Amino acid sequence: MEELLAQMGISERTIKQMEEICPNIREMGEKELIEKIEILKQIECDEIQIRNIISSNAIYLDRSKTDIEKLIKEMKELGFRTLNILFEENPYILNLDAYEIEKYVKDRENKGEKIEEIVEEMSSNPIVFDEI
């Protein structure tokens, strides 16, 4: 796994920091890492974005593939576009579960906001996701 991360251009120092934050990734197989990279490629992340997301948010690597795919599906259904840019700007969004995003948006809708406006605000200001 460390070798694959190094091939991606992630420094040894950064890899060590990632392992300190999320010790489980030490045991991660290359297949699991490749699955997580492929998910990011499917939403049109380029190599630089993938490297930035992974090195900034090691916890992403420890999440289940199913949970990540549910999150992405929910966000697309809500109307989020350019997820690659959104996740690069705030990689910690990938630590959320689909139901958390759905609940946050529904709560705001119940206060009278339109879904399009909510999604637009969250897309243009990814720090809003930290409120979830």
Side-chain angles (χ1 to χ4, degrees), residues 1 12 16 26 41 62 66 70 77 106 112 120:
M1 193 261 326
E12 186 177 321
K16 296 295 180 207
R26 288 185 187 116
K41 285 182 179 178
D62 196 35
T66 303
K70 284 180 185 176
E77 287 175 0
K106 288 221 181 290
E120 175 59 32

Side-chain angles (χ1 to χ4, degrees), residues 96-113:
L96 297 170
D97 288 317
Y99 74 87
E100 293 175 297
I101 302 280
E102 181 182 18
K103 181 183 180 320
Y104 179 82
V105 170
K106 288 221 181 290
D107 287 348
R108 288 185 58 178
E109 274 186 300
N110 290 339
K111 293 178 182 175
E113 294 181 66

Side-chain angles (χ1 to χ4, degrees), residues 39 42-43 63 65-81 83 87 93-94 96-99 101-102 115 119:
I39 290 170
Q42 290 171 6
I43 57 166
R63 301 230 31 226
K65 179 182 176 188
T66 303
D67 287 347
I68 297 166
E69 290 173 337
K70 284 180 185 176
L71 172 69
I72 290 170
K73 182 178 183 238
E74 177 67 26
M75 292 182 74
K76 285 181 176 180
E77 287 175 0
L78 288 170
F80 286 93
R81 305 289 175 250
L83 292 176
F87 293 154
I93 296 168
L94 287 159
L96 297 170
D97 288 317
Y99 74 87
I101 302 280
E102 181 182 18
I115 191 163
V119 169

Side-chain angles (χ1 to χ4, degrees), residues 19-123:
E19 290 174 340
E20 287 174 15
I21 292 167
C22 188
N24 292 342
I25 66 171
R26 288 185 187 116
E27 309 304 320
M28 180 178 287
E30 203 169 292
K31 180 184 174 202
E32 291 174 90
L33 178 60
I34 290 170
E35 281 181 342
K36 304 296 172 44
I37 291 169
E38 287 303 315
I39 290 170
L40 295 175
K41 285 182 179 178
Q42 290 171 6
I43 57 166
E44 301 181 16
C45 287
D46 61 30
E47 288 182 26
I48 294 169
Q49 290 171 322
I50 293 169
R51 184 176 55 237
N52 290 342
I53 290 166
I54 290 173
S55 62
S56 298
N57 182 15
I59 295 168
Y60 165 72
L61 297 175
D62 196 35
R63 301 230 31 226
S64 80
K65 179 182 176 188
T66 303
D67 287 347
I68 297 166
E69 290 173 337
K70 284 180 185 176
L71 172 69
I72 290 170
K73 182 178 183 238
E74 177 67 26
M75 292 182 74
K76 285 181 176 180
E77 287 175 0
L78 288 170
F80 286 93
R81 305 289 175 250
T82 62
L83 292 176
N84 57 331
I85 295 169
L86 189 61
F87 293 154
E88 183 179 29
E89 290 178 357
N90 187 347
Y92 300 104
I93 296 168
L94 287 159
N95 297 348
L96 297 170
D97 288 317
Y99 74 87
E100 293 175 297
I101 302 280
E102 181 182 18
K103 181 183 180 320
Y104 179 82
V105 170
K106 288 221 181 290
D107 287 348
R108 288 185 58 178
E109 274 186 300
N110 290 339
K111 293 178 182 175
E113 294 181 66
K114 294 181 180 176
I115 191 163
E116 297 83 12
E117 293 170 356
I118 299 166
V119 169
E120 175 59 32
E121 178 191 3
M122 294 173 80
S123 295

